[in-house]
Amino acid sequence: MLNCVYRLIAPRSIEPVQVEVPSADLQVVVRPTHLSICNADMRYYLGTRGAEVLAKKLPMALIHEGIGKVLLDATGTFKPGTRVVMLPNSASETDPYIGENYLRTSKFCGSGFDGFMQECVYLPERRVLALPDVLEDEVAAFTEIVSVGMHAVRRFCGIAHERRDVIGVWGDGNLGFIVALLLRITVPNVRLVVVGRNPNKLAEFTFADDTYVSYDVPDNLLVDHAFECCGGDGSAAAIDQIIGCIKPEGTISLLGVSENPVPIDTRMVLEKGLRLFGSSRSSREDFQATLALYEQHPEALEYLGRLVGSVRPVKSVADMASAFESDTSKLMGKTIMEWNA
């Protein structure tokens, strides 16, 4: 069976390729309907990853955030037409101490392996979950990044000490918004503080107790724990400010991705006895927890709907390129491709 895969062959250059699908892979066949562009996709598309990385990973189909409808399920788990979210992480082993999203043998769509920009996606039953009816397609499309935030919050709840009077989130982008929202729901009695660089973006955090522009943080601001969701050039300044604001023995959750090494004031980390831990990607259990939250807290969907920046109909390679190019100019929010390629 042939399948059309739309691969990035070089920065800003997408090419359709016909790929033979082995019969052994015909487990759950999903036709993508809505795909969400992530910052990681943009780094590949624009070529801002290092030349060595691009040479190693391209050609490759992008996108790891997406939903679709089941065309065929050889396992009998899903009926044709079932609306599902596709899980990008494929684990080939299990470990009693290491999560599937951290195993070095796991394969991740859109990062060295073809992502969801395909005519059809062929997945094992474990990497497909039915979506609740309450969820609109455009919001459902970026369930993966919400599950990443869920993963970080769940890990935080198991690592951080129980004094959680004030929690700070550094970062006013999509990930910061999602993490702050999840904290508001899962730790409802906490004083939630968000620190960012853009007053207009911070204005969207209406569920937070306080928001501050990073250059105007009060000298007396103290937090018990913090989440760093900045990444890129903003990571160093954010981590440094967090270390200054956090109380002794607090926990710092690191989520921002940076291409370059980030300096950390280890003297103060030691002096305060801080815990720093990283979180990346998510597991099937995180997806399940996210879908459960959607059903139990429908108010979250209204807030997440604010992150739908634009919806772009996609029928051709030119439409794909146009969607990616439009994402370069957005201030905040997700670019959703309505997939008909």
Side-chain angles (χ1 to χ4, degrees):
M1 181 179 294
L2 291 177
N3 187 39
C4 188
V5 179
Y6 296 89
R7 288 176 173 161
L8 185 74
I9 60 173
R12 285 188 157 99
S13 182
I14 298 171
E15 181 177 279
V17 180
Q18 295 293 325
V19 176
E20 181 71 32
V21 180
S23 58
D25 290 344
L26 300 181
Q27 299 183 51
V28 183
V29 184
V30 179
R31 168 66 178 165
T33 60
H34 295 77
L35 303 179
S36 172
I37 298 175
C38 173
N39 286 339
D41 298 312
M42 290 304 300
R43 287 191 286 271
Y44 286 116
Y45 179 79
L46 296 174
T48 56
R49 295 295 308 268
E52 183 178 342
V53 174
L54 293 174
K56 181 180 179 181
K57 296 200 174 187
L58 301 186
M60 172 183 69
L62 298 178
I63 304 296
H64 55 270
E65 302 175 7
I67 65 169
K69 291 185 177 180
V70 173
L71 291 182
L72 173 70
D73 179 10
T75 71
T77 305
F78 302 98
K79 295 180 180 179
T82 302
R83 200 171 57 128
V84 297
V85 60
M86 299 174 286
L87 279 57
N89 191 65
S90 177
S92 58
E93 62 175 321
T94 59
D95 188 286
Y97 303 107
I98 302 174
E100 64 181 65
N101 45 317
Y102 297 111
L103 289 169
R104 309 308 290 174
T105 54
S106 293
K107 298 178 180 180
F108 194 81
C109 291
S111 181
F113 305 90
D114 282 332
F116 298 146
M117 289 181 65
Q118 306 184 38
E119 180 184 6
C120 294
V121 182
Y122 298 79
L123 298 166
E125 178 269 336
R126 178 176 169 75
R127 293 177 57 201
V128 180
L129 288 170
L131 290 166
D133 294 335
V134 297
L135 197 55
E136 295 183 357
D137 290 334
E138 293 78 12
V139 173
F142 56 87
T143 293
E144 191 274 341
I145 190 175
V146 183
S147 76
V148 171
M150 177 66 75
H151 173 68
V153 170
R154 292 176 72 206
R155 295 188 78 205
F156 162 81
C157 290
I159 293 173
H161 65 64
E162 293 295 329
R163 180 180 292 161
R164 301 170 184 177
D165 298 330
V166 183
I167 297 179
V169 176
W170 267 253
D172 52 20
N174 297 329
L175 184 58
F177 186 93
I178 289 167
V179 167
L181 177 61
L182 293 175
L183 287 168
R184 176 84 291 159
I185 293 171
T186 58
V187 196
N189 297 323
V190 72
R191 178 189 166 201
L192 182 62
V193 177
V194 178
V195 179
R197 289 182 169 181
N198 190 304
N200 293 328
K201 292 164 72 173
L202 286 171
E204 295 294 330
F205 290 73
T206 55
F207 49 83
D209 295 292
D210 298 289
T211 59
Y212 300 108
V213 180
S214 58
Y215 56 77
D216 197 26
V217 171
D219 292 337
N220 62 350
L221 175 64
L222 293 174
V223 300
D224 297 304
H225 309 285
F227 287 74
E228 181 274 313
C229 303
C230 299
D233 296 335
S235 285
I239 294 171
D240 190 61
Q241 193 169 54
I242 289 171
I243 291 173
C245 292
I246 198 167
K247 293 181 180 179
E249 296 212 43
T251 297
I252 303 174
S253 174
L254 304 175
L255 286 90
V257 177
S258 178
E259 293 297 313
N260 300 308
V262 176
I264 293 177
D265 185 355
T266 56
R267 176 178 291 276
M268 289 306 299
V269 171
L270 301 178
E271 186 173 314
K272 288 188 173 183
L274 304 178
R275 296 176 181 150
L276 282 68
F277 74 94
S279 293
S280 179
R281 299 174 179 168
S282 58
S283 68
R284 176 182 169 88
E285 288 71 25
D286 298 313
F287 273 89
Q288 290 172 321
T290 300
L291 297 181
L293 180 136
Y294 287 162
E295 294 193 282
Q296 295 165 11
H297 296 275
E299 70 276 12
L301 302 179
E302 181 179 348
Y303 286 114
L304 291 172
R306 299 180 186 179
L307 295 182
V308 179
S310 65
V311 180
R312 312 278 301 199
V314 168
K315 296 182 180 180
S316 65
V317 170
D319 292 338
M320 297 171 200
S322 177
F324 279 96
E325 293 294 339
S326 71
D327 196 74
T328 62
S329 60
K330 69 176 176 59
L331 181 64
M332 186 175 175
K334 304 289 288 181
T335 298
I336 311 298
M337 292 188 285
E338 197 173 66
W339 191 255
N340 290 294

